[in-house]
Every structure is written in C-alpha cells, then in structure tokens.
Amino acid sequence: MAARGGRGQLHHEPADRARPRRQARLLAGEGRGRGDGRAEHRRHPVSGDGIRLLTPDGERVPHPDYPSDAGPEELRALYRDMALARRVDAEGVTLQRQGELGLWPSLLGQEAAQVGSVRALREGDRVFPSYREHAVALGRGVDPLALMRLFRGVDHGAWDPEAHDFHLYTLVIGSQTLHATGYACGMAKDGADAAVIVYFGDGATSQGDVSEAFNFAAVWDAPVVFFCQNNQWAISEPNERQTRVPLHQRAQGFGFPGVRVDGNDVLAVQAVTRAALDHARSGRGPFLIEAFTYRMGAHTTSDDPSRYRDAAEVESWRAKDPLLRLERLLRREGAADDAFFAEVAVAGEALAARVREGVRAMASPAPEEMFDHVYAEAHTGVDRERAAFAAYQAAFAEEG
Amino acid sequence: MAATRMTLVAALNEALRSVLADDPRTLVMGEDVGRLGGVFRVTDGLQKDFGEGRVIDTPLAESGIVGTAIGLALRGYRPIVEIQFDGFVFPGYDQIVTQLAKMHARSRGRVRLPVVIRIPYGGGIGAVEHHSESPEALFAHVAGVRVMSPATPGDAYWMLREAVRCDDPVIFFEPKRRYYDKGEVDVDPAAGERQPPAHTARVVRPGSDLTLAAYGPMVRTCLDAAGVAAEEGRDLEVVDLRSISPVDFDTVERSVRRTGRLVVAHEAPVFFGAGAEIAAHVAEHCFYHLSAPVLRVGAYHTPYPPSRLEEEYLPGIDRVLDAVDQALAH
C-alpha cells in the first residue's frame, strides 16, 4: 500500500516550503498535478490537498491504491451524516451564543474528514477522539446531547466508551494518542481482529506525547491509525508555526507509512482510512493519515479568527466545501434529487430542535455528586470531605 | 508457611512474581525491566519466567510509558509501571495528573484504571541529581490517585500486592535506601488475611510520651531515634503511616490523644509537605489533647543538594531527637 512510496506518498515535495508561504500554497490551483508528467498523476490529479477521489466540482477521479465503490445509497448516507453533523454543530454554536453552553468547538468544514473516517470503521474498532470530533461521535451512536453535557458543564463528557467504542473527549492536546497506542497494544495481545483510530489536530503534532505515541506504536507494531485533521490553524498559530515538514511525512521518520488525503473529500477519506485500518489490523503496525482540511469557523466560540487570518483564505476554502462537493456528485450521478436534500434538511431541523430542547432541559448535577467516583474504592479522605459537606448543607436546612 | 527473611527488593520481586502468576491481565512495564531486571533488580528474572509479552521493556519516555499503560488499562489489563528514579517521573506527570487521576471521575465511574506506578524514591545513597527526591506530596495533592510507601519488606510485599489488586491508580513509592534492608515476609497467601489494609497506619512501636509519625525511609530513622530516646528515659510511640493518600488520621489521632505530643518526620522538604497536612489536621482535631505544638522534621526548601551535603539536608536521628526535645520541653 502506501509504504511502497511513490503514489501513496504524494505532494509533499520540499518545494512546498520553498513556495512563498501560506497564501500561495492554499490558493494553489485545484486539481493541479505535480507536473512531473507521470501518467498516474495526470489521471489522478493531486494538489497540496492530498489524495483525492472527488473534485470540488463533484466529479469522481479513480485512484489505484484507494478505490471507492460507494454507490447511490452509501453516497446519500454519507451526505446525510455530514449534513446532520453540520446542523448539530451549528446548533452548538447557537446554544453557546444564547448562554446555554459554556463553550463549543465547531467542526464546520471538517465534516468529510470525520464522516469519511468513522464510516471506514468496523464494529469492534475503537475510537480515541480529541474534542472536536462531533461527527465521529454521532457516527459511533453517541447522542449529541451527551456531547452538549460536557460543554454545558453538567459533566465531563460521561458517555459510555464501551457501548460506543468511542472513548471520552480529551482536552489536553495529544494525550489520547498514547492511550490509543496502549489500547491498540492490548487489542493485539488479545488477538482481536480490530484496530484503533485516534484523532488529533495539527497543533497536537507539536506535543511530545504525539511523537512518543508514534514511536511506541512503531516499536510495538501497534494496530493504530493516527488520524490528524490538519485544519491549518491551532487557534491562531498556522501550520508554519507548528512544523517545518508536511505532517504525514513525520511517519516515515518513525518507520511507518503516512499519507495526506484531501480532508474535504469524503470518498477519499473513507477509502484511505479503510486501507489504513486494514494495514493496522493485518499486523503491519501503525499508519498516519493527514486529512488536509480547514476549520471554517473559530477554534471555539471563545475565539475570534478575524484577528489572525484573512477573509480571502477562508473564501478559498469555502469553494472546497465538503457537503457541496458531495451534493454535486449526487446530482451529477442522479443519486439524489431536490426531495432528498429537502428531506435531509427537515431531519436536521428536527434533530436541532431535539438538541435545543434537551440542552435547555438539562439540570445541574446534585452538589454531593462531586464526591462520587473520585475513586473506585472507598477513600477515607473523600469520605471525610463528603461528610463535612453534608453537615454544612444540613446546617442551612435547619435554618430553614 | 513460615515467614522468610528477605530484602525489600526481594519482597517486591516476590510480590510481582505472585501477581503475574495469579492474574494473566497483569503486566510489568518500564525502562530496563526486562533482561536487566531493573536498575535495582526489582524485576529480576520476571521476563525470563513470564515472557516479553508480560514484562515489557519500553522506549525511554515516561509520558509514553504512563500514557500507554492507561490505554492498556482501558483494554482491561493491569499494568505495573516502573519509573526508574523519582526525578524522572516528571515527564510522565502530565499523564498521571491530567489523565490517570481523572478518568474515573470524568466517566462517572464507567472507566477504571488499575495502574500501579512504582517509583524508587528518597535519598541517602550518594546519587547524582534527580536520583534522590521525595515528590510524594505532589501526588497526594492530586485527587484520584492513591499514594503509599512501605517501610519494611513485609509491607512492601503485601502493600504492592494490594496496590495491584486495587481498582484505583496507585503511586507506589519505594524507599530506595531501604531496598537492601532485610525483614520477615510471610508469602503464604493465607497470611494476606492477617495484613492490615494498605490505607491504614500502624503503630510500630508503642510509647506514652510522644508520637513520632513517619512513612517510607524515615520509619527506621524514627525507630532508631526512639531507641536512643529510650536510653534517655523517654518512651516514644512510632506510627508508620504507610499510606499518604488517604492518610489514616484515626490512628494518628488515637495516638496523639494518648501521648499529647506529635512530631511528623519525612525526607521531603517541610514546606507544603505531607507533614503540614498532618500537623494541620491534628491541630484542628486534637487541640485540647495537645501539650505542645505539632512539630515537623524534614528537608529544607532547596533543590536536593549535591550528595556530599545530603547528610545535612536529610533529617537524621539527631534532627528527630531535637524536635522531640522541643516538644517535650513544653
């Protein structure tokens, strides 16, 4: 597969860096090949954006290493997942603005990276998310209200990781890459025919934990797929401030394959992730995917991206919108009509309404719950404080 | 089965051997724990007997060791991690504090992380820097991890077994300057019934004039000090705390109510150390039983000095007895 080099490891030529900075690279022509004249690159147009199976105009382009056999039904399902995730995400932003949530990290623009990858998973595969993986969570059957509870401050994101094979969100950047690696080692020890996928951002690749995870996974042949959503910005820090090499190239230094995929192309993401998971499951060790995408919104609702990035850059990425791209394909292939898109929009509104009502109805936890679950077994220190708190509360009750 | 006399290192090795044999989900992991048997030989021979899949040499990266142990625990394993020396735990401190300690609470009890992190700690062996520190208070301050430190081979054996069996993460501080002290260890499984739970303190020398509370490497120092004091006609009680989170305050309070005086001793700096917590608690709960202020004996608030100065830095018998004199003078 990609370890063969060549086609699997594309468009990360050092010239990337030699070009005049971000603007030039991001505005590089769509569908432009490397221009090296090799036939496969003319057939499979690539740009700095990575492996691509679907052009922004909604046209399929085959790739010999990463085939997609998505038929009409699957295309519609992919679209529906992306559209519903976008709608839930928009509701998260709105609810924060209305004071119902303390914070919301928007996934706008990253729907294809998330839906494409989660739909490549098989039952029994395990997901370790960061904190923006709302579409992945929905894809694993996590109720959007469970995500909202975290950002409302009702709990710390306490869905059942076992029931969904979807671990808790991790807010400390990159920590979960090590948990994923250890979990994957456990899977391998158990002889499970399964793999782990762990999500993190471009900023996380600067953390030591991510490098340690790459190294542990490589040395131990852990069945883990490292899925980096390179959305170009770590809050206000652009890629240039995080790395001097294209991120997927990091894998090579640790001894495992890494590829860049167009993160706004749901078909390519799905195909590449499927291949990477197969690679991991087959005992060949880890795999790094760099999904080249863009965070269309703010880092979180507390952030103001207008202070650090140009409107022109945002607009250039709007043209690569993952949903619009898939909609064009669906229409081009006659796989969906206006009625379908209208029906998905109605379903999105219904879901948003349920989320809105659910969030507004969320009660705060009982205060004494903070003493629950600090430890799995009795701890006299916690017992003392729980008793002191109860006595303090009781004093108010007596006063009436 | 009769008790056997062995070193603290041998007791730990026996404990690891027994848990590896008892439970196929237990794993030993760390730097050099395999073929070398650990730099202190605590894991000696374990890889040979249990294989590379159970006794795992890791890359040299503490955050990676703790982080992957968390992942293995999430998968149902029970990793026992060795940190080579006290001062090397800090690259893994983030994983311990932000992840290992909190995941059970964050998940509302759904996730259990039975990870033991063994740390050889403390000074007195003439080592270079980062090899002699006592960072237990930094861990005891973190809710979600348990902190314990055995003082004898017998406790090392039974407390480590209990730490591995515990469903909570345990930071297990091993007093490295007592590694080669010998003591009685009853390895008969039935003897486990007779062991006090690891979270309880133990009166290791009864006395009536003053309570000396200590843990880990300072327990022997306090027993030695009590022996000297006895020659001077003073009857000191020595309490081995054994557990630093939680602290068994009931045992401490009972002792202080009887003796009326308390000196807390540890190797760590006095400032914001474990002794401060115990002194404050006793002042609050035993005020009318105290004949003297609670005094603390420990190291100074400086980085651990070059080893040629550690005799002055670490509290020894004389510093303990000096505090005892002050308390008895009231």
Side-chain angles (χ1 to χ4, degrees):
Chain A
M1 207 169 50
R4 292 176 211 148
R7 285 193 302 254
Q9 313 208 344
L10 303 168
H11 39 67
H12 38 63
E13 61 278 34
D16 253 16
R17 247 176 46 214
R19 277 187 225 151
R21 298 204 9 126
R22 188 172 74 246
Q23 197 73 354
R25 194 185 71 228
L26 296 177
L27 295 176
E30 289 305 321
R32 195 168 59 99
R34 274 155 59 126
D36 61 3
R38 282 194 287 166
E40 64 268 30
H41 288 138
R42 283 201 300 275
R43 274 197 296 114
H44 317 296
V46 290
S47 71
D49 292 343
I51 292 160
R52 175 175 284 171
L53 302 183
L54 183 60
T55 69
D57 293 332
E59 198 171 350
R60 290 198 202 230
V61 278
H63 193 289
D65 292 335
Y66 303 105
S68 170
D69 56 0
E73 194 177 339
E74 183 160 15
L75 293 178
R76 286 194 298 270
L78 289 166
Y79 182 88
R80 175 184 293 270
D81 283 1
M82 287 164 57
L84 294 184
R86 178 171 288 190
R87 187 63 191 88
V88 167
D89 182 72
E91 198 58 34
V93 174
T94 302
L95 287 166
Q96 193 280 334
R97 295 289 181 246
Q98 293 171 349
E100 300 288 348
L101 301 179
L103 187 79
W104 183 255
S106 171
L107 63 66
L108 186 65
Q110 299 176 223
E111 295 88 350
Q114 296 192 13
V115 170
S117 54
V118 74
R119 276 192 160 262
L121 296 172
R122 294 203 313 225
E123 198 174 334
D125 290 338
R126 181 77 158 203
V127 180
F128 282 81
S130 184
Y131 50 78
R132 200 190 295 282
E133 276 67 67
H134 316 318
V136 183
L138 301 183
R140 294 307 262 181
V142 177
D143 193 294
L145 287 171
L147 307 176
M148 301 279 171
R149 289 172 69 82
L150 166 60
F151 294 104
R152 188 173 169 88
V154 173
D155 63 30
H156 289 309
W159 53 86
D160 186 349
E162 295 300 321
H164 302 285
D165 262 325
F166 183 83
H167 189 65
L168 307 178
Y169 273 6
T170 303
L171 273 66
V172 178
I173 305 295
S175 294
Q176 76 280 9
T177 57
L178 284 166
H179 310 158
T181 301
Y183 193 92
C185 288
M187 270 183 170
K189 291 172 82 64
D190 296 342
D193 180 24
V196 171
I197 186 167
V198 55
Y199 292 85
F200 53 101
D202 42 303
T205 63
S206 297
Q207 290 279 1
D209 274 4
V210 173
S211 290
E212 291 189 22
F214 285 179
N215 193 44
F216 275 64
V219 168
W220 287 343
D221 284 331
V224 55
V225 173
F226 294 104
F227 193 94
C228 176
Q229 290 176 82
N230 179 355
N231 68 14
Q232 313 302 322
W233 292 92
I235 307 189
S236 71
E237 304 277 5
N239 273 187
E240 296 87 22
R241 292 278 176 250
Q242 301 294 339
T243 181
R244 293 297 299 271
V245 291
L247 294 172
H248 62 287
Q249 286 185 9
R250 293 269 178 96
Q252 195 182 355
F254 290 93
F256 60 93
V259 299
R260 177 181 285 178
V261 61
D262 181 340
N264 286 18
D265 171 353
V266 70
L267 297 184
V269 172
Q270 187 180 26
V272 170
T273 309
R274 204 175 267 155
L277 288 163
D278 285 345
H279 170 97
R281 282 195 208 95
S282 69
R284 283 179 288 166
F287 197 107
L288 170 63
I289 297 170
E290 177 191 4
F292 205 70
T293 183
Y294 196 76
R295 188 191 82 211
M296 294 299 292
H299 165 65
T300 69
T301 43
S302 299
D303 174 40
D304 174 10
S306 73
R307 292 174 70 96
Y308 54 81
R309 66 184 189 185
D310 298 335
E313 176 185 303
V314 180
E315 283 313 305
S316 77
W317 278 89
R318 203 178 299 284
K320 305 180 199 176
D321 184 87
L323 266 93
L324 194 56
R325 193 182 297 200
L326 188 55
E327 181 182 340
R328 285 173 177 150
L329 175 66
L330 284 161
R331 291 188 187 278
R332 183 188 292 269
E333 296 191 351
D337 54 14
D338 287 345
F340 168 77
F341 294 107
E343 184 266 317
V344 171
V346 168
E349 289 311 314
L351 178 57
R354 181 170 79 79
V355 165
R356 193 159 53 242
E357 286 162 25
V359 166
R360 287 182 178 150
M362 276 176 198
S364 296
E368 58 272 18
E369 283 185 21
M370 65 183 149
F371 300 103
D372 296 345
H373 309 301
V374 182
Y375 294 89
E377 300 179 11
H379 184 284
T380 55
V382 174
D383 294 344
R384 282 172 203 278
E385 297 202 348
R386 187 203 309 271
F389 179 79
Y392 182 68
Q393 296 292 91
F396 288 104
E398 281 160 22
E399 283 169 14
Chain B
M1 196 191 297
T4 315
R5 214 170 147 71
M6 63 175 83
T7 64
L8 201 149
V9 162
L12 292 168
N13 183 271
E14 279 300 317
L16 292 173
R17 189 173 291 281
S18 68
V19 296
L20 284 167
D22 288 351
D23 182 355
R25 307 297 282 182
T26 52
L27 306 169
V28 168
M29 52 192 286
E31 297 158 13
D32 306 306
V33 298
R35 277 197 292 179
L36 180 66
V39 293
F40 291 105
R41 306 292 182 267
V42 172
T43 58
D44 193 28
L46 298 179
Q47 191 179 66
K48 184 170 142 289
D49 293 344
F50 295 96
E52 293 182 9
R54 303 283 308 283
V55 181
I56 305 164
D57 275 322
T58 65
L60 206 161
E62 284 75 12
S63 190
I65 296 169
V66 178
T68 53
I70 291 171
L72 281 157
L74 289 170
R75 182 68 189 179
Y77 287 88
R78 302 181 86 86
I80 307 155
V81 164
E82 175 171 305
I83 299 293
Q84 208 155 58
F85 283 92
D86 36 64
F88 302 163
V89 72
F90 296 105
Y93 193 66
D94 164 55
Q95 282 286 347
I96 294 172
V97 171
T98 71
Q99 308 299 318
L100 183 64
K102 294 197 166 91
M103 225 175 267
H104 183 69
R106 284 181 57 208
S107 69
R108 303 298 297 152
R110 289 193 177 95
V111 170
R112 292 192 172 194
L113 294 179
V115 177
V116 175
I117 298 180
R118 297 180 32 243
I119 308 176
Y121 86 120
I125 63 164
V128 294
E129 68 171 342
H130 314 304
H131 289 66
S132 302
E133 296 168 11
S134 298
E136 61 272 17
L138 296 174
F139 293 90
H141 196 66
V142 176
V145 294
R146 294 169 184 273
V147 182
M148 54 179 83
S149 178
T152 64
D155 269 351
Y157 180 84
W158 287 106
M159 286 169 69
L160 181 54
R161 280 176 56 102
E162 194 174 327
V164 174
R165 214 173 33 240
C166 180
D167 270 350
D168 288 313
V170 177
I171 315 296
F172 195 84
F173 281 105
E174 300 169 0
K176 70 169 89 78
R177 72 162 141 149
R178 309 297 183 209
Y179 263 160
Y180 304 106
D181 286 7
K182 285 193 172 179
E184 298 290 310
V185 182
D186 191 346
V187 297
D188 179 1
E193 303 289 314
R194 302 190 291 273
Q195 302 299 316
H199 66 271
T200 57
R202 179 146 66 172
V203 177
V204 291
R205 177 192 170 114
S208 56
D209 292 344
L210 177 145
T211 300
L212 273 175
Y215 53 85
M218 284 300 288
V219 172
R220 201 180 101 187
T221 306
C222 286
L223 285 169
D224 290 347
V228 173
E231 291 169 16
E232 298 165 355
R234 289 164 172 176
D235 186 19
L236 308 189
E237 177 150 308
V238 179
V239 174
D240 178 0
L241 295 174
R242 301 166 79 241
S243 174
I244 304 154
S245 176
V247 172
D248 176 7
F249 284 118
D250 293 343
T251 298
V252 176
E253 284 180 41
R254 267 198 304 275
S255 176
V256 171
R257 290 204 170 94
R258 203 165 56 243
T259 65
R261 291 178 172 84
L262 175 65
V263 172
V264 190
H266 49 58
E267 283 196 9
V270 167
F271 188 71
F272 274 86
E277 182 63 37
I278 292 158
H281 181 97
V282 166
E284 195 175 329
H285 291 85
C286 306
F287 188 71
Y288 294 106
H289 293 82
L290 284 171
S291 306
V294 179
L295 297 178
R296 292 170 289 159
V297 182
Y300 303 104
H301 195 224
T302 70
Y304 200 91
S307 60
R308 295 281 176 167
L309 295 177
E310 69 181 344
E311 286 301 312
E312 284 70 38
Y313 174 81
L314 294 172
I317 293 173
D318 288 343
R319 290 230 320 257
V320 171
L321 289 175
D322 186 55
V324 167
D325 287 345
Q326 288 181 47
L328 287 170
H330 279 275

